[in-house]
Amino acid sequence: HFYKRMLSSLAMDCIDWPAEDPVLDPAPQGRLVKCRITRNRKGVRGVFPTYFLHMEREDGRKVFLLAGRKRKKTTTCSYIMSKDPTNMSRSGAAFQGLLRSNMLGTHFKIVGRGETRLGRKLVKKKIRTRKGEVAAIIYNKNVLGFNGPRYMTVILPQLGEDGKRTELHPVGEDDGLIERFSSDNLAGLLELRNKQPVWSNETESYVLNFHGRVTRASVKNFQIVHSSNPDYIIMQFGRVGADIFTMDFRYPLCAIQAFGIALSSCVAKLACE
């Protein structure tokens, strides 16, 4: 019944979102989209948690957008993202994309659901094409083992001329967002970085100003900015409870990009900490 209430809420309240699709379309320009993420660690000793993303409306109501669950039987960390928390299957109609990591948990890619097309008429079989990359996240390795703030880079395909979100469809293994960025092939890419916190002698810790939206210190907390304007916060994420986080984002990010970036911060990173 809890899941059904979330789905009915989404169906009724989506009309308040100026975009056609609140999950895949970029946030409206000039608007801060405030969200809350809750984590459910029940089942299988909490090893495969489920995260629920809700948009916070100005009237105090919450609108369910996405659920993300850690996948089982994968060699690396992988999360499936779906509009339906009762159907977390890659073949389901509500499937929106995947968050995938490398072995060390330092590189992440958010891939879309891919387009489905019909095969030959004689076969009448649906063929799912190569999935496009929606975003990529790189965490710098902590080779010295010092405890300190993380360094992360977010790479996005630039928006189309119509202002719509685009996907990068790699033509080979060396043609993804991270591979292009690593080879300085930045054409058509947007590079963002996390704002570095400053050391506070009063609290003896690194701090960022979240303007009251984050209340608990955590290495997972971050703010995303562009180098041209480090005071303009494009996205921020942080802990407010044991299993509760806030996530706010602006244009040009969309909900699935912001949700995937937030999930990547929750994954343990052996080479970064």
Side-chain angles (χ1 to χ4, degrees), residues 25-27 154 156 192 234-235 249-255 257-258 261:
D25 287 348
V154 175
L156 308 174
L192 306 173
I234 297 175
M235 175 186 174
F249 66 97
R250 304 178 187 270
Y251 180 91
L253 287 176
C254 66
Q257 290 172 327
I261 295 169

Side-chain angles (χ1 to χ4, degrees), residues 48-62:
F48 300 99
T50 302
Y51 294 82
F52 302 97
L53 172 66
H54 288 80
M55 180 175 64
E56 297 178 341
R57 292 181 12 149
E58 293 182 358
D59 60 7
R61 298 178 63 186
K62 296 180 176 61

Side-chain angles (χ1 to χ4, degrees), residues 99-102 104-109 136-143 149-155 178 181 193-194 219-222 224 235 237 258-273:
L99 173 72
R100 296 171 173 166
S101 79
N102 62 354
L104 294 177
T106 55
H107 291 180
F108 293 82
K109 291 184 178 182
I137 309 101
I138 300 175
Y139 291 87
N140 286 8
K141 295 179 181 178
N142 184 1
V143 293
R150 292 173 173 174
Y151 290 84
M152 57 190 293
T153 302
V154 175
I155 309 156
I178 292 178
F181 177 79
R193 295 186 180 275
N194 67 313
V219 70
K220 298 178 175 63
N221 301 348
F222 65 82
I224 297 295
M235 175 186 174
F237 170 80
F259 189 41
I261 295 169
L263 288 179
S264 76
S265 183
C266 294
V267 176
K269 297 160 184 63
L270 299 177
C272 299
E273 300 164 358

Side-chain angles (χ1 to χ4, degrees), residues 14-273:
C14 267
I15 56 175
D16 293 333
W17 180 277
E20 296 178 3
D21 190 327
V23 171
L24 299 178
D25 287 348
Q29 295 193 47
R31 175 177 174 180
L32 177 67
V33 182
K34 295 183 178 181
C35 300
R36 180 160 296 224
I37 296 176
T38 54
R39 176 173 56 191
N40 184 340
R41 292 193 279 191
K42 295 181 180 179
V44 199
R45 300 179 182 176
V47 178
F48 300 99
T50 302
Y51 294 82
F52 302 97
L53 172 66
H54 288 80
M55 180 175 64
E56 297 178 341
R57 292 181 12 149
E58 293 182 358
D59 60 7
R61 298 178 63 186
K62 296 180 176 61
V63 182
F64 171 74
L65 293 180
L66 285 167
R69 188 182 69 191
K70 188 175 182 181
R71 299 172 65 205
K72 304 175 183 178
K73 299 179 181 179
T74 56
T75 55
T76 62
C77 183
S78 178
Y79 276 83
I80 188 168
M81 292 178 281
S82 172
K83 286 183 177 180
D84 183 355
T86 66
N87 183 3
M88 302 297 289
S89 169
R90 291 178 60 183
S91 59
F95 170 72
Q96 296 298 295
L98 291 173
L99 173 72
R100 296 171 173 166
S101 79
N102 62 354
M103 293 295 294
L104 294 177
T106 55
H107 291 180
F108 293 82
K109 291 184 178 182
I110 306 171
V111 295
R113 57 192 171 192
E115 297 297 330
T116 302
R117 58 183 175 85
L118 290 176
R120 296 178 181 178
K121 292 183 179 180
L122 293 177
V123 179
K124 292 184 179 180
K125 182 180 180 181
K126 290 184 178 181
I127 302 173
R128 193 171 290 276
T129 60
R130 180 188 292 270
K131 294 179 176 61
E133 296 185 7
V134 177
I137 309 101
I138 300 175
Y139 291 87
N140 286 8
K141 295 179 181 178
N142 184 1
V143 293
L144 298 180
F146 294 151
N147 291 325
R150 292 173 173 174
Y151 290 84
M152 57 190 293
T153 302
V154 175
I155 309 156
L156 308 174
Q158 290 184 352
L159 297 180
E161 295 182 358
D162 57 357
K164 296 290 186 179
R165 181 185 60 83
T166 60
E167 296 180 359
L168 173 68
H169 292 269
V171 296
E173 296 297 328
D174 299 326
D175 192 45
L177 288 171
I178 292 178
E179 291 75 18
R180 290 191 182 189
F181 177 79
S182 300
S183 61
D184 292 328
N185 181 12
L186 304 181
L189 304 184
L190 176 64
E191 176 187 352
L192 306 173
R193 295 186 180 275
N194 67 313
K195 186 173 185 177
Q196 285 303 296
V198 296
W199 180 258
S200 169
N201 290 326
E202 181 179 351
T203 62
E204 295 186 344
S205 63
Y206 290 95
V207 297
L208 286 168
N209 185 1
F210 288 95
H211 301 282
R213 290 286 291 165
V214 176
T215 57
R216 292 196 180 187
S218 173
V219 70
K220 298 178 175 63
N221 301 348
F222 65 82
Q223 293 177 325
I224 297 295
V225 298
H226 189 271
S227 59
S228 63
N229 188 359
D231 294 325
Y232 181 76
I233 308 301
I234 297 175
M235 175 186 174
Q236 66 179 22
F237 170 80
R239 185 189 296 273
V240 295
D243 292 296
I244 305 174
F245 309 85
T246 55
M247 184 195 85
D248 305 334
F249 66 97
R250 304 178 187 270
Y251 180 91
L253 287 176
C254 66
I256 193 170
Q257 290 172 327
F259 189 41
I261 295 169
L263 288 179
S264 76
S265 183
C266 294
V267 176
K269 297 160 184 63
L270 299 177
C272 299
E273 300 164 358

